[in-house]
Each structure stands twice: as C-alpha cells, then as structure tokens.
Amino acid sequence: MARRRTFQNIIEHAFFLPLATILRVLPRRAALRMGEQLGRLTRVLLPSRYRRAIDNIRDSFPELSETEVEQLGDKTFRHLGISAAEMIRLDMFNSDEDLEKYFTFEGLEHLEKAREMGRGVLLATAHVGFWEVGTFFLPKLGFPAAFVAKKAKNPYFNNFMVRMREHAGGQVIDAKKGARQIVKTLSDGSCVGVLIDHHIRKSEAVQVPFFGRPAWTTPIITQMAMKRNIPVVPIFIYRTEDLTYRAEISEPIFLEGDLDEETITANTAKLTDIIEAAIRKEPSQWFWVHNRWRE
C-alpha cells in the first residue's frame, strides 16, 4: 500500500511540474487567466465536486434561482483556478513595490492595536479570496506571523506549499501537532492565523449554525483566546476585478466567559457568524467544493 502511494505521489508530481513551470514563466496576468480557464475545465473533470458546490450554494442561498446558482458555481471554479495559479506563484511577491502595487488595506490600525497589547494575536480567517497571500504581506508589513495548516497528503506538494508560505518570513504550523508551537508563537508576541471554516470531526468540534445549518467547527481559537485573554482579529483578503487584493481587518475581539461547553460554543458561533458575513460579501470566493455540512 505504501509503495502504491509513493508511486502515485511521484506521478502526481510529474504532472504538476510542467504546469507549475508554465504558470511561473508566464506574465502574472496571463498566468492567472490561464488558471481561471483551468478552473472552468476542472468543473468538467471533477463532476462530483461541481455537484457538491452547486448543492452547497443552493442550500446556503435558497433565494437564488437555479440559473443564479449555476452562475455562482461557475464563478467559484474560475476563482479556484486563479487561486491555484496564485499559489504556484506566491513566492514571486517579494518587494515593497509588489506590496504597493497589488494590495490595499482596510483596518490595518486594528492589527497594530492588538499587537501593542503584547499578548500575541489570533487571526480568525477562512478560505475566502486568496487567503494564502497573508503569508507575504504580514511579515512584509512588520507583523511576525505563523499560519496553521494541514499537511498535504503528497509530500512533494506539501514541501512546495511550505516553501511558498514561508518564503517571505512567515512560519507554517502543522494543524495536527501544533498546539505547543501556537502557544509559543503567541507568547513571543506574534500573530497566528487559523482558518476556522472547514469541517472538523465531531470529537474535536462544537456544532454551530453556518448559513442556517448546523456545522461541526473547531473551537481552537475560542479556547486559546478565552484561556489567555488573547485578542482575536478577523482578517479576510479578497481578490478584486483587476486582480489585485483588498485586505479587510476588523477590530480586535475579546472572547469572555467561563470555559464551559456552552460559552465556548457561543463564542465559536460568534466567530462563525463573522466568517459567514465575510463570505456573503464575495460568495464566489469561498471554497464551496468542501463537504462542510457533514453529519
């Protein structure tokens, strides 16, 4: 079984390398447009993922007509294709000129305010827009940052992803084994970004409403913030029509109350409401292919 998995990893990497090379050689706009078309093609190549996205969109936006649901599904796959191309080129952002040319920031003062408290900062974010690009601009702006992420099954892909995410000075923390590292990073006064919008198995989660339906959700940010009185700063990075980015940063939140299940669930629901509101701003820029509402 292990030998078969190793062979599969090598084959996947062999297909990935030439595509990645093309996307890195092309001018940025051409590469992202190529990614967009590949995303549309993926909709055909992975029909089960497309059906899941359509079902999730339909259930989350019952007010939309079937035509509008399908249009949103199409935009979602185009967005995912662009995101893949952006990820492959992530380390090509490396200068102050890139920061000025491609990024605008709303609420950067909120992040500065949270950092000045000296307790570290928990960044509450989601798979919205091009969330990965925070690994570039936060260190570039002078905010030491680490990002919690799951390891990819394919070690070649995983090594590539880590290299992209850490190229600008950020740090990747393994989601499965990173609790101590998260605590240490916060103790050093740094930011730690955690994506809290994906399904978590029941034994490690609390159930809260998300787009009107119960969803098992990680309470990790809630628990750490409550135990250590750490400010939580919501941050979302949207891609604009001209292929630049708008980062929206909200005021610090303090999650208070006793560390009992009811309060932890209520505070996790509060953060999830913020995530949902962020998705509703640009619904085509969320990861609708994910099986979020698993029983």
Side-chain angles (χ1 to χ4, degrees):
M1 190 69 173
R3 184 177 297 176
R4 182 185 301 173
R5 179 69 238 186
T6 299
F7 181 70
Q8 182 179 338
N9 291 338
I10 293 171
I11 294 299
E12 289 173 349
H13 192 237
F15 277 99
F16 170 75
L17 277 177
L19 175 61
T21 300
I22 293 170
L23 289 170
R24 290 176 65 84
V25 168
L26 286 172
R28 179 176 181 271
R29 182 170 290 273
L32 300 196
R33 291 308 181 197
M34 178 180 171
E36 181 179 28
Q37 295 308 312
L38 289 172
R40 299 189 82 169
L41 178 62
T42 302
R43 189 184 68 175
V44 177
L45 297 177
L46 299 174
S48 62
R49 287 296 186 113
Y50 179 66
R51 287 194 300 271
R52 178 182 295 164
I54 291 296
D55 289 343
N56 284 338
I57 292 168
R58 184 187 295 117
D59 291 341
S60 299
F61 299 97
E63 71 278 10
L64 296 183
S65 68
E66 196 60 27
T67 297
E68 290 172 323
V69 168
E70 291 178 2
Q71 289 173 342
L72 184 49
D74 177 68
K75 288 182 69 176
T76 296
F77 273 78
R78 286 159 51 197
H79 155 71
L80 293 175
I82 295 173
S83 296
E86 289 169 322
M87 186 66 203
I88 287 170
R89 297 172 54 90
L90 182 55
D91 66 337
M92 299 175 79
F93 286 131
N94 53 39
S95 67
D96 291 338
E97 183 180 350
D98 291 330
L99 196 65
E100 184 176 345
K101 182 177 181 180
Y102 295 111
F103 297 88
T104 58
F105 299 96
E106 299 176 11
L108 199 57
E109 68 277 8
H110 301 317
L111 189 54
E112 185 61 52
K113 176 183 176 182
R115 181 174 65 171
E116 288 174 355
M117 296 175 188
R119 306 170 196 170
V121 183
L122 282 164
L123 304 175
T125 189
H127 295 81
V128 177
F130 185 37
W131 65 92
E132 299 280 7
V133 81
T135 62
F136 161 67
F137 70 71
L138 285 171
K140 199 70 177 174
L141 290 170
F143 295 95
F147 307 89
V148 180
K150 289 183 179 180
K151 282 187 175 182
K153 291 182 180 179
N154 187 315
Y156 299 107
F157 288 166
N158 188 71
N159 292 340
F160 177 83
M161 298 279 279
V162 170
R163 190 165 70 251
M164 293 297 105
R165 288 167 173 158
E166 292 188 340
H167 87 280
Q171 180 185 11
V172 175
I173 297 177
D174 184 354
K176 286 189 175 181
K177 305 176 182 178
R180 289 184 179 179
Q181 197 171 352
I182 292 172
V183 171
K184 182 182 184 305
T185 303
L186 291 169
S187 299
D188 292 340
S190 298
C191 303
V192 176
V194 185
L195 292 95
I196 58 173
D197 59 333
H198 269 198
H199 172 81
I200 300 294
R201 58 186 173 185
K202 183 178 178 180
S203 61
E204 301 173 359
V206 296
Q207 197 173 56
V208 300
F210 185 55
F211 283 92
R213 288 170 285 156
W216 293 108
T217 304
T218 178
I220 185 171
I221 279 190
T222 301
Q223 292 168 331
M224 286 193 172
M226 292 175 67
K227 283 180 182 178
R228 301 173 180 274
N229 197 28
I230 296 171
V232 178
V233 176
I235 176 171
F236 305 99
I237 303 127
Y238 300 99
R239 185 189 310 105
T240 64
E241 288 295 327
D242 63 355
L243 299 179
T244 60
Y245 308 98
R246 182 182 77 256
E248 296 187 3
I249 305 166
S250 299
E251 292 188 15
I253 299 169
F254 287 92
L255 302 176
E256 301 175 340
D258 297 327
L259 275 167
D260 54 59
E261 185 176 351
E262 183 179 354
T263 307
I264 290 171
T265 300
N267 280 333
T268 302
K270 181 178 181 179
L271 294 179
T272 302
D273 287 343
I274 293 171
I275 298 292
E276 181 177 328
I279 294 169
R280 287 183 179 276
K281 285 186 178 182
E282 295 287 351
S284 67
Q285 294 192 26
W286 190 62
F287 205 68
W288 292 105
V289 296
H290 176 59
N291 191 6
R292 179 66 179 97
W293 290 271
R294 256 175 278 181
E295 293 296 333

